[in-house]
Amino acid sequence: MNVLATALAETLSRSPRDLVLLADKQWSRHPWQEIQARAGNVAERLRDQDIRRVGLVGAPTAELVSTVIGAFYAGAAVSILPGPIRGADATQWADATQRRFRGIGVQLVASQGAYLEKICTAWQAVPVTDLTDLAPAGRSSATRCAEVDAPAAILQGTAGSTGTPRTVELSPAAVLANLRGLGKRIGLQGGDVGCSWLPLYHDMGLSFLLAGALAGNEVWQAPTAAFQASPFRWLNWLSESRASVTAAPNMAYGMIGKYSRRVADVDLSALRFALNGGEPVDCELTERFAVEMARFGFS
């Protein structure tokens, strides 16, 4: 039995809550049961084509999130890589991304929108498909999960900041243990609301999203680019969503604490757990964030 796929399917098939996604400055709700249906379509397609390793590039959309979960259902592994850096040559990025996917055995790359256009500018070392076609919303039959555990569920890339990026293979059981451990430590319950702008190609962002899915929580997910364009929007999103749980690297807490005079008209009183990780933690800056944000209800 594929323990990760089974656990997610059991929760998402009955969760009454939503995945809430930001696109073009507007939030849109996607019930987890819709994501479950889309994931079932993805799993069926991957099984039909005997795809065991899927590569993903793009913004967090209903189709992309469904493809991550659908890959688990199919007993396939998923690798998510970052998009091009602003100002970078799109063709060079597309070529490097395709070669990296090919190097870890990816058999199908899926993307959409502008990301799809860019990834298609390179020589296609791996076939490319549109996420919109891969993860349609409608499904008439029940979702079937892989009966046998796959060798890997996530192919997690390292940052490459200290050398050539490497890829770590994470088994379904290891991923599930991590998500359950995270949920237990945070004390996730059905009424929690998560809010994140962390990139899904980073293990911190992907784990935050999947932990919320496993708990059947409402999860608000913004593109990292939206945070980068205006970091203080994060506080507005926390206020609007009434988020009880969030996560960010140390630099985000430090920046907001340092420039807290720019903050106004937000309500952080619902927030009960703010995870700080992904890089060394500066305790002084984190304390400054806490003190300054107390004016807005942060406990």
Side-chain angles (χ1 to χ4, degrees), residues 147-170:
E147 297 178 359
V148 180
D149 243 355
I154 297 173
L155 306 172
Q156 182 60 53
T158 62
S161 55
T162 58
T164 302
R166 304 295 179 88
T167 300
V168 180
E169 295 189 3
L170 305 175

mmCIF file of all heavy atoms in Angstrom, residues 147-170:
data_model
loop_
_atom_site.group_PDB
_atom_site.id
_atom_site.type_symbol
_atom_site.label_atom_id
_atom_site.label_comp_id
_atom_site.label_asym_id
_atom_site.label_seq_id
_atom_site.Cartn_x
_atom_site.Cartn_y
_atom_site.Cartn_z
ATOM 1 N N GLU A 147 -1.189 0.723 -5.408
ATOM 2 C CA GLU A 147 -1.260 -0.309 -4.378
ATOM 3 C C GLU A 147 0.103 -0.604 -3.756
ATOM 4 O O GLU A 147 0.186 -1.130 -2.649
ATOM 5 C CB GLU A 147 -1.853 -1.591 -4.976
ATOM 6 C CG GLU A 147 -3.289 -1.408 -5.461
ATOM 7 C CD GLU A 147 -3.845 -2.663 -6.098
ATOM 8 O OE1 GLU A 147 -3.097 -3.666 -6.177
ATOM 9 O OE2 GLU A 147 -5.009 -2.651 -6.516
ATOM 10 N N VAL A 148 1.160 -0.285 -4.471
ATOM 11 C CA VAL A 148 2.515 -0.582 -3.995
ATOM 12 C C VAL A 148 3.257 0.721 -3.743
ATOM 13 O O VAL A 148 3.138 1.675 -4.520
ATOM 14 C CB VAL A 148 3.280 -1.438 -5.025
ATOM 15 C CG1 VAL A 148 4.682 -1.745 -4.529
ATOM 16 C CG2 VAL A 148 2.517 -2.731 -5.310
ATOM 17 N N ASP A 149 4.003 0.767 -2.655
ATOM 18 C CA ASP A 149 4.797 1.958 -2.361
ATOM 19 C C ASP A 149 5.855 2.174 -3.439
ATOM 20 O O ASP A 149 6.545 1.234 -3.851
ATOM 21 C CB ASP A 149 5.485 1.810 -1.004
ATOM 22 C CG ASP A 149 5.010 2.872 -0.016
ATOM 23 O OD1 ASP A 149 4.236 3.746 -0.427
ATOM 24 O OD2 ASP A 149 5.423 2.823 1.149
ATOM 25 N N ALA A 150 5.989 3.424 -3.884
ATOM 26 C CA ALA A 150 6.999 3.770 -4.881
ATOM 27 C C ALA A 150 8.346 3.964 -4.189
ATOM 28 O O ALA A 150 8.409 4.272 -3.002
ATOM 29 C CB ALA A 150 6.596 5.042 -5.598
ATOM 30 N N PRO A 151 9.449 3.791 -4.917
ATOM 31 C CA PRO A 151 10.769 4.035 -4.326
ATOM 32 C C PRO A 151 10.930 5.475 -3.848
ATOM 33 O O PRO A 151 11.627 5.741 -2.870
ATOM 34 C CB PRO A 151 11.735 3.717 -5.469
ATOM 35 C CG PRO A 151 10.960 2.865 -6.414
ATOM 36 C CD PRO A 151 9.541 3.317 -6.309
ATOM 37 N N ALA A 152 10.306 6.415 -4.586
ATOM 38 C CA ALA A 152 10.417 7.832 -4.222
ATOM 39 C C ALA A 152 9.100 8.535 -4.493
ATOM 40 O O ALA A 152 8.369 8.178 -5.419
ATOM 41 C CB ALA A 152 11.541 8.501 -5.005
ATOM 42 N N ALA A 153 8.795 9.540 -3.660
ATOM 43 C CA ALA A 153 7.617 10.375 -3.869
ATOM 44 C C ALA A 153 8.038 11.779 -4.308
ATOM 45 O O ALA A 153 7.403 12.396 -5.159
ATOM 46 C CB ALA A 153 6.790 10.458 -2.592
ATOM 47 N N ILE A 154 9.116 12.287 -3.700
ATOM 48 C CA ILE A 154 9.611 13.629 -4.018
ATOM 49 C C ILE A 154 11.086 13.547 -4.362
ATOM 50 O O ILE A 154 11.866 12.901 -3.669
ATOM 51 C CB ILE A 154 9.409 14.584 -2.825
ATOM 52 C CG1 ILE A 154 7.914 14.748 -2.512
ATOM 53 C CG2 ILE A 154 10.043 15.943 -3.107
ATOM 54 C CD1 ILE A 154 7.638 15.548 -1.253
ATOM 55 N N LEU A 155 11.452 14.183 -5.461
ATOM 56 C CA LEU A 155 12.848 14.334 -5.854
ATOM 57 C C LEU A 155 13.220 15.767 -5.509
ATOM 58 O O LEU A 155 12.967 16.688 -6.279
ATOM 59 C CB LEU A 155 13.015 14.049 -7.351
ATOM 60 C CG LEU A 155 12.462 12.696 -7.834
ATOM 61 C CD1 LEU A 155 12.508 12.612 -9.358
ATOM 62 C CD2 LEU A 155 13.249 11.555 -7.208
ATOM 63 N N GLN A 156 13.788 15.952 -4.324
ATOM 64 C CA GLN A 156 14.022 17.291 -3.800
ATOM 65 C C GLN A 156 15.398 17.806 -4.178
ATOM 66 O O GLN A 156 16.410 17.226 -3.806
ATOM 67 C CB GLN A 156 13.862 17.302 -2.278
ATOM 68 C CG GLN A 156 14.038 18.667 -1.643
ATOM 69 C CD GLN A 156 13.023 19.670 -2.157
ATOM 70 O OE1 GLN A 156 11.828 19.428 -2.133
ATOM 71 N NE2 GLN A 156 13.514 20.793 -2.664
ATOM 72 N N GLY A 157 15.424 18.900 -4.909
ATOM 73 C CA GLY A 157 16.684 19.490 -5.315
ATOM 74 C C GLY A 157 17.296 20.345 -4.225
ATOM 75 O O GLY A 157 16.585 21.006 -3.466
ATOM 76 N N THR A 158 18.607 20.328 -4.121
ATOM 77 C CA THR A 158 19.299 21.227 -3.207
ATOM 78 C C THR A 158 19.437 22.595 -3.874
ATOM 79 O O THR A 158 19.277 22.735 -5.088
ATOM 80 C CB THR A 158 20.686 20.687 -2.844
ATOM 81 O OG1 THR A 158 21.477 20.590 -4.035
ATOM 82 C CG2 THR A 158 20.577 19.313 -2.201
ATOM 83 N N ALA A 159 19.742 23.605 -3.073
ATOM 84 C CA ALA A 159 19.770 24.972 -3.590
ATOM 85 C C ALA A 159 20.904 25.209 -4.575
ATOM 86 O O ALA A 159 20.804 26.029 -5.482
ATOM 87 C CB ALA A 159 19.870 25.961 -2.426
ATOM 88 N N GLY A 160 22.010 24.516 -4.387
ATOM 89 C CA GLY A 160 23.158 24.733 -5.256
ATOM 90 C C GLY A 160 23.991 25.932 -4.872
ATOM 91 O O GLY A 160 24.854 26.374 -5.630
ATOM 92 N N SER A 161 23.749 26.493 -3.673
ATOM 93 C CA SER A 161 24.477 27.691 -3.255
ATOM 94 C C SER A 161 25.936 27.394 -2.919
ATOM 95 O O SER A 161 26.774 28.291 -2.926
ATOM 96 C CB SER A 161 23.781 28.332 -2.049
ATOM 97 O OG SER A 161 23.642 27.398 -1.007
ATOM 98 N N THR A 162 26.250 26.149 -2.618
ATOM 99 C CA THR A 162 27.631 25.793 -2.279
ATOM 100 C C THR A 162 28.235 24.806 -3.267
ATOM 101 O O THR A 162 29.293 24.240 -3.009
ATOM 102 C CB THR A 162 27.687 25.177 -0.861
ATOM 103 O OG1 THR A 162 26.843 24.019 -0.812
ATOM 104 C CG2 THR A 162 27.226 26.175 0.187
ATOM 105 N N GLY A 163 27.572 24.612 -4.394
ATOM 106 C CA GLY A 163 28.079 23.681 -5.393
ATOM 107 C C GLY A 163 26.986 23.290 -6.380
ATOM 108 O O GLY A 163 25.912 23.877 -6.384
ATOM 109 N N THR A 164 27.269 22.323 -7.203
ATOM 110 C CA THR A 164 26.301 21.866 -8.187
ATOM 111 C C THR A 164 25.071 21.296 -7.467
ATOM 112 O O THR A 164 25.207 20.492 -6.550
ATOM 113 C CB THR A 164 26.913 20.766 -9.072
ATOM 114 O OG1 THR A 164 28.079 21.295 -9.699
ATOM 115 C CG2 THR A 164 25.915 20.312 -10.132
ATOM 116 N N PRO A 165 23.851 21.704 -7.869
ATOM 117 C CA PRO A 165 22.649 21.182 -7.212
ATOM 118 C C PRO A 165 22.583 19.656 -7.296
ATOM 119 O O PRO A 165 22.902 19.063 -8.328
ATOM 120 C CB PRO A 165 21.509 21.827 -8.011
ATOM 121 C CG PRO A 165 22.104 23.045 -8.631
ATOM 122 C CD PRO A 165 23.526 22.686 -8.926
ATOM 123 N N ARG A 166 22.183 19.048 -6.217
ATOM 124 C CA ARG A 166 21.985 17.600 -6.157
ATOM 125 C C ARG A 166 20.505 17.321 -5.937
ATOM 126 O O ARG A 166 19.730 18.222 -5.603
ATOM 127 C CB ARG A 166 22.812 16.996 -5.024
ATOM 128 C CG ARG A 166 24.311 17.307 -5.084
ATOM 129 C CD ARG A 166 24.976 16.690 -6.301
ATOM 130 N NE ARG A 166 26.391 16.994 -6.368
ATOM 131 C CZ ARG A 166 27.342 16.255 -5.794
ATOM 132 N NH1 ARG A 166 27.023 15.182 -5.090
ATOM 133 N NH2 ARG A 166 28.613 16.591 -5.911
ATOM 134 N N THR A 167 20.122 16.063 -6.075
ATOM 135 C CA THR A 167 18.731 15.678 -5.874
ATOM 136 C C THR A 167 18.649 14.564 -4.845
ATOM 137 O O THR A 167 19.371 13.570 -4.938
ATOM 138 C CB THR A 167 18.091 15.213 -7.194
ATOM 139 O OG1 THR A 167 18.150 16.286 -8.141
ATOM 140 C CG2 THR A 167 16.640 14.810 -6.985
ATOM 141 N N VAL A 168 17.777 14.762 -3.867
ATOM 142 C CA VAL A 168 17.559 13.787 -2.813
ATOM 143 C C VAL A 168 16.246 13.067 -3.078
ATOM 144 O O VAL A 168 15.226 13.702 -3.341
ATOM 145 C CB VAL A 168 17.505 14.478 -1.429
ATOM 146 C CG1 VAL A 168 17.281 13.460 -0.322
ATOM 147 C CG2 VAL A 168 18.778 15.274 -1.188
ATOM 148 N N GLU A 169 16.252 11.745 -3.019
ATOM 149 C CA GLU A 169 15.041 10.958 -3.223
ATOM 150 C C GLU A 169 14.376 10.700 -1.875
ATOM 151 O O GLU A 169 14.981 10.091 -0.983
ATOM 152 C CB GLU A 169 15.367 9.626 -3.908
ATOM 153 C CG GLU A 169 15.916 9.787 -5.321
ATOM 154 C CD GLU A 169 16.022 8.456 -6.060
ATOM 155 O OE1 GLU A 169 15.621 7.418 -5.489
ATOM 156 O OE2 GLU A 169 16.492 8.469 -7.212
ATOM 157 N N LEU A 170 13.142 11.144 -1.728
ATOM 158 C CA LEU A 170 12.392 10.972 -0.489
ATOM 159 C C LEU A 170 11.277 9.957 -0.715
ATOM 160 O O LEU A 170 10.434 10.144 -1.597
ATOM 161 C CB LEU A 170 11.802 12.308 -0.038
ATOM 162 C CG LEU A 170 12.804 13.464 0.113
ATOM 163 C CD1 LEU A 170 12.082 14.755 0.444
ATOM 164 C CD2 LEU A 170 13.822 13.129 1.192
#
